[in-house]
């Protein structure tokens, strides 16, 4: 990790990093946060598997528009992450419609992961690490003393997406579409889960109460 990602465990408590005592309504807030953050993508995937690509694109666009409108009314601003997810659904959905080839189906996940990696890294470069925003929205309060830690994990997630993109490029050229999709359907959720477990273990180690 670079010097631009300071971590100062003695000044950060575990509750500052992630809050150890659940507040009333925490689960409801977490579910609402999850849908508001990933809503367009969730709706897109559900509709793609049940009603087809065109319905998925339309529903994803509508969901994104509704969430963006709600954010503008409620907060007078748009979450960069919500805007990114909504835009990604539109752009990659349109590419799916235009390039209906086996190779594009194999290479698209690599493009998506690379774009996501650049987005995460870009938020760090401009001084607004996206994981800080996501964590503070989830907790419902500022986590100022954990900003160094959360900034570091924004960089780690960016590197994770870049690594996945590189693996998917290799798979696109080396494996059949069925083999690539089978491996992705297993490795993608497992690697995501592993990242979350590593973060939890790191948080407990760095922010353990003294």
């Amino acid at each position: 990790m670079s010097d631009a990602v300071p971590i100062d465990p003695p000044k950060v408590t575990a509750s500052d990093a992630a809050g150890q005592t659940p507040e009333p309504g925490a689960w409801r807030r977490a579910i609402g946060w999850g849908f508001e953050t990933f809503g367009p993508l969730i709706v897109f995937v559900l509709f793609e598997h049940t009603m087809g690509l065109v319905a998925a694109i339309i529903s994803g666009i509508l969901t994104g528009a509704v969430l963006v409108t709600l954010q503008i009314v409620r907060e007078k601003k748009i979450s960069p992450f919500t805007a990114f997810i909504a835009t990604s659904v539109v752009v990659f959905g349109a590419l799916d419609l235009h390039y209906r080839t086996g190779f594009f189906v194999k290479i698209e996940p690599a493009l998506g992961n690379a774009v996501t990696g650049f987005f995460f890294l870009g938020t760090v470069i401009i001084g607004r690490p996206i994981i800080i925003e996501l964590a503070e929205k989830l907790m419902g309060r500022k986590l100022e003393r954990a900003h160094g830690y959360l900034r570091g994990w924004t960089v780690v997630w960016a590197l994770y997406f870049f690594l996945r993109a590189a693996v998917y490029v290799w798979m696109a050229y080396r494996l059949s579409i069925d083999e690539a999709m089978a491996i992705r359907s297993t490795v993608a959720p497992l690697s995501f889960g592993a990242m979350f477990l590593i973060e939890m273990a790191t948080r407990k180690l760095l922010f353990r109460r003294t």
Side-chain angles (χ1 to χ4, degrees):
M1 200 68 66
S2 68
D3 293 336
V5 187
I7 295 178
D8 191 5
K11 297 181 181 179
V12 185
T13 66
S15 59
D16 283 330
Q20 295 210 346
T21 303
E23 301 173 5
W27 279 107
R28 183 174 57 190
R29 186 174 67 241
I31 294 172
W33 170 88
F35 186 76
E36 184 172 322
T37 303
F38 301 101
L41 182 60
I42 293 171
V43 170
F44 179 89
V45 172
L46 289 176
F47 273 75
E48 185 183 24
H49 284 81
T50 57
M51 300 183 67
L53 184 58
V54 175
I57 295 173
I58 295 173
S59 61
I61 293 173
L62 291 176
T63 303
V66 170
L67 291 176
V68 167
T69 301
L70 287 175
Q71 287 183 357
I72 293 175
V73 171
R74 186 182 63 218
E75 303 173 15
K76 309 301 181 186
K77 63 179 181 178
I78 303 172
S79 163
F81 194 75
T82 301
F84 171 73
I85 292 293
T87 303
S88 297
V89 167
V90 174
V91 171
F92 283 99
L95 290 174
D96 280 332
L97 285 175
H98 190 268
Y99 298 103
R100 296 193 175 190
T101 63
F103 182 74
F104 183 75
V105 171
K106 291 196 296 182
I107 204 69
E108 182 188 19
L111 296 176
N113 277 271
V115 169
T116 304
F118 281 117
F119 172 75
F120 272 61
L121 196 58
T123 64
V124 175
I125 292 173
I126 66 175
R128 297 178 60 188
I130 195 62
I131 288 184
I132 292 178
E133 177 196 320
L134 297 178
E136 290 182 340
K137 270 198 168 184
L138 176 62
M139 296 305 302
R141 60 189 174 86
K142 292 293 184 180
L143 302 171
E144 293 179 357
R145 291 188 293 174
H147 278 191
Y149 173 79
L150 297 171
R151 182 168 56 249
W153 268 99
T154 305
V155 175
V156 171
W157 274 101
L159 297 176
Y160 164 79
F161 287 119
F162 288 140
L163 178 60
R164 284 210 338 177
V167 171
Y168 288 163
V169 168
W170 180 88
M171 290 169 57
Y173 283 96
R174 299 284 182 171
L175 305 177
S176 69
I177 185 171
D178 290 335
E179 292 172 328
M181 292 180 70
I183 292 175
R184 284 204 310 266
S185 65
T186 302
V187 173
L190 288 178
S191 62
F192 255 95
M195 285 290 288
F196 281 110
L197 289 175
I198 292 170
E199 188 281 325
M200 290 171 61
T202 304
R203 189 193 325 151
K204 289 182 178 179
L205 177 65
L206 294 177
F207 305 136
R208 107 180 35 159
R209 294 183 184 276
T210 56

